[in-house]
Short mmCIF file of all heavy atoms in Angstrom, two decimals:
data_model
loop_
_atom_site.label_atom_id
_atom_site.label_comp_id
_atom_site.label_asym_id
_atom_site.label_seq_id
_atom_site.Cartn_x
_atom_site.Cartn_y
_atom_site.Cartn_z
N MET A 1 0.85 -1.17 -0.07
CA MET A 1 -0.01 -0.01 0.02
C MET A 1 0.91 1.28 -0.08
O MET A 1 1.89 1.39 0.79
CB MET A 1 -0.94 0.00 1.24
CG MET A 1 -1.79 1.15 1.25
SD MET A 1 -2.95 0.91 2.64
CE MET A 1 -3.43 2.51 2.99
N LEU A 2 0.66 2.17 -0.88
CA LEU A 2 1.39 3.49 -1.00
C LEU A 2 0.91 4.46 0.03
O LEU A 2 -0.27 4.70 0.22
CB LEU A 2 1.22 4.04 -2.37
CG LEU A 2 1.96 5.31 -2.67
CD1 LEU A 2 3.49 4.87 -2.63
CD2 LEU A 2 1.66 5.73 -4.12
N ASN A 3 1.89 5.00 0.89
CA ASN A 3 1.47 6.01 1.87
C ASN A 3 1.45 7.40 1.17
O ASN A 3 2.22 7.67 0.39
CB ASN A 3 2.65 6.03 3.01
CG ASN A 3 2.63 4.80 3.82
OD1 ASN A 3 1.53 4.21 3.96
ND2 ASN A 3 3.66 4.47 4.45
N LYS A 4 0.43 8.13 1.60
CA LYS A 4 0.30 9.50 1.06
C LYS A 4 1.38 10.44 1.70
O LYS A 4 1.57 10.30 3.01
CB LYS A 4 -1.16 10.07 1.40
CG LYS A 4 -1.32 11.37 0.91
CD LYS A 4 -2.77 11.88 1.20
CE LYS A 4 -2.96 13.30 0.67
NZ LYS A 4 -4.34 13.84 0.98
N PHE A 5 2.03 11.24 0.89
CA PHE A 5 3.04 12.12 1.43
C PHE A 5 2.40 13.32 2.29
O PHE A 5 1.50 13.93 1.71
CB PHE A 5 3.81 12.77 0.28
CG PHE A 5 4.93 13.57 0.72
CD1 PHE A 5 6.11 13.14 1.30
CD2 PHE A 5 4.87 14.94 0.56
CE1 PHE A 5 7.20 13.91 1.68
CE2 PHE A 5 5.92 15.79 1.06
CZ PHE A 5 7.02 15.23 1.56
N ASP A 6 2.84 13.49 3.47
CA ASP A 6 2.23 14.52 4.33
C ASP A 6 3.25 15.69 4.38
O ASP A 6 4.27 15.56 5.10
CB ASP A 6 2.02 13.99 5.68
CG ASP A 6 1.37 14.92 6.75
OD1 ASP A 6 1.40 16.15 6.46
OD2 ASP A 6 0.83 14.48 7.64
N MET A 7 2.92 16.72 3.58
CA MET A 7 3.92 17.84 3.48
C MET A 7 4.10 18.54 4.88
O MET A 7 5.18 18.95 5.20
CB MET A 7 3.31 18.85 2.45
CG MET A 7 4.23 20.06 2.36
SD MET A 7 5.92 19.76 1.84
CE MET A 7 5.72 19.28 0.15
N ASN A 8 3.00 18.67 5.66
CA ASN A 8 3.11 19.34 6.92
C ASN A 8 4.00 18.56 7.84
O ASN A 8 4.82 19.16 8.61
CB ASN A 8 1.84 19.64 7.59
CG ASN A 8 0.97 20.61 6.88
OD1 ASN A 8 1.52 21.58 6.31
ND2 ASN A 8 -0.37 20.40 6.81
N LYS A 9 3.90 17.29 7.93
CA LYS A 9 4.79 16.40 8.72
C LYS A 9 6.19 16.52 8.15
O LYS A 9 7.18 16.60 9.10
CB LYS A 9 4.30 14.95 8.69
CG LYS A 9 5.13 14.03 9.59
CD LYS A 9 4.63 12.55 9.55
CE LYS A 9 5.42 11.60 10.31
NZ LYS A 9 6.75 11.94 10.76
N PHE A 10 6.44 16.50 6.93
CA PHE A 10 7.81 16.66 6.38
C PHE A 10 8.39 17.95 6.88
O PHE A 10 9.56 17.95 7.30
CB PHE A 10 7.83 16.59 4.88
CG PHE A 10 9.08 16.94 4.28
CD1 PHE A 10 10.15 15.95 4.21
CD2 PHE A 10 9.28 18.15 3.68
CE1 PHE A 10 11.31 16.33 3.58
CE2 PHE A 10 10.51 18.61 3.17
CZ PHE A 10 11.54 17.60 3.10
N ILE A 11 7.66 19.06 6.78
CA ILE A 11 8.24 20.39 7.10
C ILE A 11 8.47 20.40 8.60
O ILE A 11 9.53 20.90 9.04
CB ILE A 11 7.29 21.45 6.73
CG1 ILE A 11 7.18 21.63 5.23
CG2 ILE A 11 7.66 22.83 7.35
CD1 ILE A 11 5.98 22.52 4.74
N ASN A 12 7.63 19.93 9.39
CA ASN A 12 7.85 19.77 10.93
C ASN A 12 9.09 19.00 11.19
O ASN A 12 9.91 19.41 12.02
CB ASN A 12 6.55 19.22 11.44
CG ASN A 12 6.70 19.36 13.02
OD1 ASN A 12 7.20 20.37 13.53
ND2 ASN A 12 6.16 18.35 13.68
N ASP A 13 9.19 17.85 10.65
CA ASP A 13 10.41 16.92 11.02
C ASP A 13 11.63 17.55 10.39
O ASP A 13 12.74 17.59 11.08
CB ASP A 13 10.15 15.53 10.29
CG ASP A 13 9.08 14.82 10.83
OD1 ASP A 13 8.59 15.15 11.98
OD2 ASP A 13 8.62 13.72 10.24
N PHE A 14 11.61 18.14 9.22
CA PHE A 14 12.80 18.73 8.59
C PHE A 14 13.24 19.97 9.48
O PHE A 14 14.46 20.09 9.76
CB PHE A 14 12.54 19.25 7.18
CG PHE A 14 13.83 19.71 6.54
CD1 PHE A 14 14.61 18.76 5.85
CD2 PHE A 14 14.13 21.02 6.43
CE1 PHE A 14 15.78 19.12 5.22
CE2 PHE A 14 15.33 21.44 5.75
CZ PHE A 14 16.05 20.47 5.13
N SER A 15 12.31 20.78 10.03
CA SER A 15 12.58 21.96 10.90
C SER A 15 13.24 21.52 12.20
O SER A 15 14.05 22.24 12.66
CB SER A 15 11.30 22.70 11.17
OG SER A 15 10.82 23.25 9.95
N LYS A 16 12.90 20.32 12.72
CA LYS A 16 13.49 19.82 13.91
C LYS A 16 15.00 19.37 13.68
O LYS A 16 15.82 19.53 14.60
CB LYS A 16 12.72 18.64 14.50
CG LYS A 16 11.41 19.02 15.03
CD LYS A 16 10.70 17.75 15.46
CE LYS A 16 9.19 18.15 15.97
NZ LYS A 16 8.56 16.90 16.30
N SER A 17 15.32 18.98 12.50
CA SER A 17 16.71 18.58 12.30
C SER A 17 17.61 19.59 11.65
O SER A 17 18.83 19.52 11.68
CB SER A 17 16.65 17.33 11.35
OG SER A 17 16.16 17.65 10.16
N CYS A 18 16.92 20.67 11.22
CA CYS A 18 17.76 21.78 10.69
C CYS A 18 17.35 23.07 11.24
O CYS A 18 16.19 23.64 11.11
CB CYS A 18 17.48 21.96 9.13
SG CYS A 18 18.47 23.14 8.37
N SER A 19 18.28 23.68 12.09
CA SER A 19 17.90 24.77 12.95
C SER A 19 17.70 26.12 12.15
O SER A 19 17.10 27.12 12.53
CB SER A 19 18.97 25.12 13.99
OG SER A 19 20.19 25.37 13.32
N LYS A 20 18.17 26.16 10.89
CA LYS A 20 18.00 27.40 10.06
C LYS A 20 16.98 27.26 9.00
O LYS A 20 16.98 28.04 7.97
CB LYS A 20 19.32 27.68 9.42
CG LYS A 20 20.40 28.02 10.40
CD LYS A 20 21.74 28.35 9.78
CE LYS A 20 22.80 28.80 10.78
NZ LYS A 20 24.03 29.12 10.12
N THR A 21 15.88 26.46 9.19
CA THR A 21 14.83 26.24 8.33
C THR A 21 14.04 27.55 8.12
O THR A 21 13.70 28.12 9.25
CB THR A 21 13.97 25.10 8.70
OG1 THR A 21 14.67 23.95 8.77
CG2 THR A 21 12.74 24.88 7.73
N GLN A 22 13.69 27.98 7.02
CA GLN A 22 12.83 29.15 6.75
C GLN A 22 11.75 28.75 5.77
O GLN A 22 12.03 28.02 4.82
CB GLN A 22 13.66 30.30 6.22
CG GLN A 22 14.68 30.78 7.10
CD GLN A 22 15.49 31.88 6.42
OE1 GLN A 22 15.45 32.13 5.22
NE2 GLN A 22 16.31 32.61 7.18
N ILE A 23 10.61 29.27 6.10
CA ILE A 23 9.46 29.00 5.08
C ILE A 23 9.17 30.48 4.56
O ILE A 23 8.84 31.39 5.35
CB ILE A 23 8.28 28.40 5.72
CG1 ILE A 23 8.52 27.00 6.09
CG2 ILE A 23 7.12 28.35 4.69
CD1 ILE A 23 7.49 26.28 6.89
N LYS A 24 9.22 30.71 3.22
CA LYS A 24 8.98 31.96 2.67
C LYS A 24 7.91 31.95 1.53
O LYS A 24 7.81 30.89 0.82
CB LYS A 24 10.29 32.53 2.08
CG LYS A 24 11.35 32.70 3.08
CD LYS A 24 12.67 33.32 2.45
CE LYS A 24 13.72 33.61 3.42
NZ LYS A 24 14.88 34.16 2.80
N ASP A 25 7.23 32.96 1.28
CA ASP A 25 6.31 33.17 0.23
C ASP A 25 6.95 34.18 -0.74
O ASP A 25 7.57 35.13 -0.26
CB ASP A 25 4.97 33.69 0.62
CG ASP A 25 4.22 32.70 1.60
OD1 ASP A 25 4.28 31.58 1.31
OD2 ASP A 25 3.65 33.24 2.54
N PHE A 26 6.82 34.01 -2.07
CA PHE A 26 7.39 34.78 -3.01
C PHE A 26 6.23 35.32 -3.93
O PHE A 26 5.27 34.54 -4.25
CB PHE A 26 8.50 34.14 -3.77
CG PHE A 26 9.66 33.81 -3.00
CD1 PHE A 26 9.69 32.55 -2.34
CD2 PHE A 26 10.68 34.69 -2.83
CE1 PHE A 26 10.78 32.17 -1.53
CE2 PHE A 26 11.71 34.32 -2.06
CZ PHE A 26 11.78 33.14 -1.40
N LEU A 27 6.39 36.40 -4.51
CA LEU A 27 5.52 37.06 -5.48
C LEU A 27 5.94 36.65 -6.93
O LEU A 27 7.03 36.27 -7.05
CB LEU A 27 5.41 38.51 -5.37
CG LEU A 27 4.86 39.16 -3.98
CD1 LEU A 27 5.11 40.65 -4.00
CD2 LEU A 27 3.51 38.67 -3.79
N LYS A 28 5.04 36.60 -7.84
CA LYS A 28 5.33 36.27 -9.19
C LYS A 28 6.45 37.23 -9.74
O LYS A 28 6.38 38.43 -9.49
CB LYS A 28 3.99 36.47 -10.02
CG LYS A 28 4.35 36.04 -11.49
CD LYS A 28 3.02 36.13 -12.25
CE LYS A 28 3.35 35.62 -13.74
NZ LYS A 28 2.11 35.64 -14.49
N GLY A 29 7.50 36.68 -10.27
CA GLY A 29 8.53 37.40 -10.81
C GLY A 29 9.76 37.70 -9.86
O GLY A 29 10.75 38.31 -10.34
N GLU A 30 9.52 37.33 -8.67
CA GLU A 30 10.48 37.60 -7.55
C GLU A 30 11.61 36.56 -7.63
O GLU A 30 11.37 35.39 -7.97
CB GLU A 30 9.84 37.61 -6.26
CG GLU A 30 10.71 38.10 -5.15
CD GLU A 30 9.94 38.33 -3.82
OE1 GLU A 30 8.70 38.01 -3.73
OE2 GLU A 30 10.52 38.75 -2.90
N VAL A 31 12.84 36.97 -7.45
CA VAL A 31 13.99 36.06 -7.42
C VAL A 31 13.99 35.27 -6.12
O VAL A 31 13.92 35.86 -5.05
CB VAL A 31 15.31 36.84 -7.51
CG1 VAL A 31 16.49 35.86 -7.32
CG2 VAL A 31 15.43 37.51 -8.85
N ILE A 32 13.97 33.91 -6.11
CA ILE A 32 13.98 33.04 -4.98
C ILE A 32 15.30 32.91 -4.36
O ILE A 32 15.53 32.97 -3.19
CB ILE A 32 13.40 31.67 -5.34
CG1 ILE A 32 11.92 31.79 -5.83
CG2 ILE A 32 13.46 30.72 -4.22
CD1 ILE A 32 11.24 30.62 -6.29
N THR A 33 16.36 32.65 -5.19
CA THR A 33 17.65 32.49 -4.83
C THR A 33 18.63 32.80 -5.92
O THR A 33 18.26 32.92 -7.03
CB THR A 33 17.98 31.11 -4.13
OG1 THR A 33 19.23 31.08 -3.58
CG2 THR A 33 17.84 30.05 -5.34
N THR A 34 19.85 32.98 -5.67
CA THR A 34 20.85 33.35 -6.65
C THR A 34 21.90 32.10 -6.51
O THR A 34 22.09 31.53 -5.49
CB THR A 34 21.57 34.63 -6.50
OG1 THR A 34 22.15 34.79 -5.14
CG2 THR A 34 20.44 35.79 -6.69
N TYR A 35 22.78 32.02 -7.60
CA TYR A 35 23.74 31.04 -7.64
C TYR A 35 25.05 31.63 -7.04
O TYR A 35 25.54 32.65 -7.50
CB TYR A 35 23.99 30.56 -9.05
CG TYR A 35 25.18 29.57 -9.17
CD1 TYR A 35 24.94 28.23 -8.84
CD2 TYR A 35 26.41 29.98 -9.45
CE1 TYR A 35 26.00 27.29 -8.84
CE2 TYR A 35 27.47 29.14 -9.62
CZ TYR A 35 27.27 27.73 -9.20
OH TYR A 35 28.32 26.88 -9.32
N LEU A 36 25.58 30.96 -6.00
CA LEU A 36 26.88 31.29 -5.40
C LEU A 36 27.64 29.92 -5.24
O LEU A 36 27.02 28.94 -4.87
CB LEU A 36 26.75 31.99 -4.06
CG LEU A 36 26.16 33.30 -4.02
CD1 LEU A 36 25.98 33.79 -2.71
CD2 LEU A 36 26.93 34.27 -4.87
N VAL A 37 28.96 29.77 -5.63
CA VAL A 37 29.59 28.62 -5.64
C VAL A 37 29.63 28.01 -4.23
O VAL A 37 29.40 26.66 -4.18
CB VAL A 37 31.02 28.93 -6.15
CG1 VAL A 37 31.99 27.58 -5.95
CG2 VAL A 37 31.11 29.35 -7.52
N ASN A 38 29.84 28.62 -3.20
CA ASN A 38 30.02 28.11 -1.92
C ASN A 38 28.83 28.19 -0.96
O ASN A 38 28.90 28.23 0.25
CB ASN A 38 31.31 28.58 -1.09
CG ASN A 38 32.46 28.21 -1.88
OD1 ASN A 38 32.64 27.05 -2.32
ND2 ASN A 38 33.53 29.24 -1.93
N ARG A 39 27.64 28.31 -1.55
CA ARG A 39 26.42 28.53 -0.80
C ARG A 39 25.98 27.14 -0.35
O ARG A 39 25.76 26.19 -1.10
CB ARG A 39 25.33 29.17 -1.54
CG ARG A 39 24.02 29.20 -0.77
CD ARG A 39 22.98 30.09 -1.45
NE ARG A 39 23.31 31.47 -1.29
CZ ARG A 39 22.64 32.43 -1.86
NH1 ARG A 39 21.55 32.19 -2.52
NH2 ARG A 39 23.02 33.74 -1.58
N ASN A 40 25.78 26.93 0.99
CA ASN A 40 25.26 25.69 1.56
C ASN A 40 23.77 25.84 1.79
O ASN A 40 23.32 26.35 2.82
CB ASN A 40 25.90 25.39 2.89
CG ASN A 40 27.37 25.03 2.72
OD1 ASN A 40 27.73 24.36 1.72
ND2 ASN A 40 28.19 25.41 3.61
N GLN A 41 22.97 25.64 0.73
CA GLN A 41 21.54 25.92 0.81
C GLN A 41 20.77 24.90 0.09
O GLN A 41 21.11 24.42 -1.06
CB GLN A 41 21.31 27.30 0.18
CG GLN A 41 19.79 27.77 0.23
CD GLN A 41 19.80 29.17 -0.44
OE1 GLN A 41 20.08 29.26 -1.62
NE2 GLN A 41 19.26 30.09 0.25
N LEU A 42 19.72 24.57 0.57
CA LEU A 42 18.72 23.57 -0.04
C LEU A 42 17.33 24.25 -0.15
O LEU A 42 16.84 24.75 0.84
CB LEU A 42 18.54 22.34 0.80
CG LEU A 42 17.41 21.33 0.32
CD1 LEU A 42 17.79 20.77 -1.05
CD2 LEU A 42 17.31 20.26 1.35
N CYS A 43 16.80 24.42 -1.37
CA CYS A 43 15.45 25.13 -1.51
C CYS A 43 14.57 23.98 -1.99
O CYS A 43 14.79 23.22 -2.90
CB CYS A 43 15.68 26.13 -2.61
SG CYS A 43 16.75 27.52 -2.19
N ILE A 44 13.42 24.01 -1.28
CA ILE A 44 12.25 23.03 -1.67
C ILE A 44 11.07 23.86 -2.09
O ILE A 44 10.55 24.64 -1.13
CB ILE A 44 11.99 22.13 -0.50
CG1 ILE A 44 13.33 21.31 -0.21
CG2 ILE A 44 10.86 21.21 -0.93
CD1 ILE A 44 13.10 20.53 1.06
N LEU A 45 10.59 23.72 -3.18
CA LEU A 45 9.41 24.40 -3.71
C LEU A 45 8.17 23.59 -3.28
O LEU A 45 7.93 22.48 -3.61
CB LEU A 45 9.37 24.52 -5.17
CG LEU A 45 8.39 25.37 -5.83
CD1 LEU A 45 8.31 26.80 -5.37
CD2 LEU A 45 8.41 25.36 -7.34
N ILE A 46 7.43 24.23 -2.35
CA ILE A 46 6.29 23.44 -1.74
C ILE A 46 5.02 23.52 -2.71
O ILE A 46 4.33 22.52 -2.86
CB ILE A 46 5.87 23.97 -0.28
CG1 ILE A 46 7.10 23.74 0.58
CG2 ILE A 46 4.64 23.37 0.17
CD1 ILE A 46 6.95 24.32 1.92
N SER A 47 4.84 24.69 -3.31
CA SER A 47 3.80 24.79 -4.31
C SER A 47 4.03 25.94 -5.22
O SER A 47 4.86 26.73 -5.06
CB SER A 47 2.52 25.12 -3.48
OG SER A 47 2.52 26.44 -2.89
N GLY A 48 3.38 25.72 -6.41
CA GLY A 48 3.58 26.58 -7.46
C GLY A 48 4.62 26.20 -8.44
O GLY A 48 4.95 25.02 -8.50
N THR A 49 5.06 27.11 -9.30
CA THR A 49 6.06 26.84 -10.28
C THR A 49 7.24 27.83 -10.26
O THR A 49 7.07 28.94 -9.79
CB THR A 49 5.56 26.79 -11.68
OG1 THR A 49 5.01 28.09 -12.00
CG2 THR A 49 4.41 25.73 -11.84
N ALA A 50 8.39 27.43 -10.79
CA ALA A 50 9.53 28.34 -10.78
C ALA A 50 10.36 28.08 -11.95
O ALA A 50 10.48 26.90 -12.41
CB ALA A 50 10.37 28.25 -9.46
N ASP A 51 10.96 29.02 -12.57
CA ASP A 51 11.97 28.88 -13.70
C ASP A 51 13.33 28.80 -12.96
O ASP A 51 13.72 29.73 -12.19
CB ASP A 51 11.88 29.92 -14.66
CG ASP A 51 10.60 29.96 -15.39
OD1 ASP A 51 10.05 28.90 -15.68
OD2 ASP A 51 10.05 31.03 -15.69
N LEU A 52 14.25 27.88 -13.52
CA LEU A 52 15.59 27.88 -13.04
C LEU A 52 16.41 28.45 -14.19
O LEU A 52 16.51 27.85 -15.26
CB LEU A 52 15.96 26.39 -12.84
CG LEU A 52 17.38 26.12 -12.44
CD1 LEU A 52 17.75 26.87 -11.20
CD2 LEU A 52 17.77 24.69 -12.31
N VAL A 53 17.19 29.62 -13.87
CA VAL A 53 17.93 30.25 -14.89
C VAL A 53 19.17 30.49 -14.37
O VAL A 53 19.34 30.92 -13.21
CB VAL A 53 17.25 31.66 -15.27
CG1 VAL A 53 18.07 32.32 -16.35
CG2 VAL A 53 15.81 31.41 -15.81
N ARG A 54 20.26 30.25 -15.18
CA ARG A 54 21.60 30.54 -14.79
C ARG A 54 22.36 31.17 -16.01
O ARG A 54 22.30 30.52 -17.04
CB ARG A 54 22.38 29.28 -14.33
CG ARG A 54 23.84 29.61 -14.03
CD ARG A 54 24.60 28.36 -13.47
NE ARG A 54 25.95 28.78 -13.29
CZ ARG A 54 26.86 27.97 -13.02
NH1 ARG A 54 26.62 26.64 -12.94
NH2 ARG A 54 28.10 28.32 -12.83
N TYR A 55 22.86 32.29 -15.81
CA TYR A 55 23.59 33.03 -16.80
C TYR A 55 25.14 32.79 -16.62
O TYR A 55 25.63 33.04 -15.54
CB TYR A 55 23.24 34.56 -16.83
CG TYR A 55 21.86 34.83 -17.08
CD1 TYR A 55 20.95 35.15 -16.13
CD2 TYR A 55 21.33 34.90 -18.40
CE1 TYR A 55 19.61 35.41 -16.31
CE2 TYR A 55 19.97 35.06 -18.69
CZ TYR A 55 19.13 35.42 -17.55
OH TYR A 55 17.89 35.68 -17.89
N ASP A 56 25.72 32.33 -17.66
CA ASP A 56 27.20 32.12 -17.53
C ASP A 56 27.90 32.92 -18.79
O ASP A 56 27.74 32.43 -19.79
CB ASP A 56 27.53 30.55 -17.75
CG ASP A 56 28.91 30.17 -17.49
OD1 ASP A 56 29.62 31.02 -16.99
OD2 ASP A 56 29.29 29.06 -17.73
N ILE A 57 28.46 33.94 -18.31
CA ILE A 57 29.10 34.84 -19.28
C ILE A 57 30.60 34.55 -19.22
O ILE A 57 31.24 34.87 -18.30
CB ILE A 57 28.74 36.19 -19.10
CG1 ILE A 57 27.24 36.50 -19.11
CG2 ILE A 57 29.55 37.16 -20.10
CD1 ILE A 57 26.78 37.85 -18.64
N ASN A 58 31.08 34.10 -20.31
CA ASN A 58 32.60 33.88 -20.49
C ASN A 58 33.21 35.17 -20.93
O ASN A 58 33.06 35.51 -22.07
CB ASN A 58 32.88 32.66 -21.37
CG ASN A 58 32.37 31.42 -20.86
OD1 ASN A 58 32.52 31.06 -19.60
ND2 ASN A 58 31.77 30.47 -21.68
N ARG A 59 34.11 35.70 -20.15
CA ARG A 59 34.84 36.98 -20.56
C ARG A 59 36.29 36.52 -20.81
O ARG A 59 36.87 35.82 -20.05
CB ARG A 59 34.71 37.93 -19.45
CG ARG A 59 33.40 38.31 -19.16
CD ARG A 59 33.25 39.44 -18.13
NE ARG A 59 31.85 39.78 -17.83
CZ ARG A 59 31.51 40.72 -17.10
NH1 ARG A 59 32.36 41.43 -16.48
NH2 ARG A 59 30.27 40.93 -16.85
N LYS A 60 36.75 37.02 -21.95
CA LYS A 60 38.13 36.62 -22.37
C LYS A 60 38.96 37.87 -22.31
O LYS A 60 38.64 38.93 -22.43
CB LYS A 60 38.21 36.04 -23.68
CG LYS A 60 37.55 34.77 -23.75
CD LYS A 60 37.61 34.15 -25.11
CE LYS A 60 36.84 32.75 -25.07
NZ LYS A 60 37.01 32.08 -26.41
#
């Protein structure tokens, strides 16, 4: 039997094991995060949609 995923339980359990957990709401068109090489960050999109865009400009 397949168990239904409980998002609220997941968030609660994850928050207990990670002291810096944040839940944020974003408006349409707003930047959620930026790319930094040494960023220790995990982002989980709970609802909605997002575009993943990375610009890589090679300068010579």
Side-chain angles (χ1 to χ4, degrees):
M1 181 173 159
L2 185 64
N3 292 333
K4 183 178 177 184
F5 182 75
D6 185 341
M7 180 60 71
N8 291 327
K9 182 176 179 346
F10 171 79
I11 293 170
N12 188 38
D13 291 347
F14 190 82
S15 296
K16 288 178 183 175
S17 64
C18 181
S19 62
K20 295 183 180 181
T21 301
Q22 298 177 347
I23 297 176
K24 297 181 178 182
D25 293 320
F26 295 90
L27 299 174
K28 183 176 182 175
E30 193 172 357
V31 174
I32 296 172
T33 189
T34 58
Y35 176 79
L36 296 173
V37 174
N38 293 322
R39 177 172 281 178
N40 294 322
Q41 182 181 55
L42 171 67
C43 297
I44 300 172
L45 184 63
I46 295 173
S47 66
T49 59
D51 293 324
L52 177 61
V53 178
R54 178 175 175 193
Y55 298 101
D56 188 9
I57 301 171
N58 294 318
R59 296 181 185 186
K60 295 181 180 183

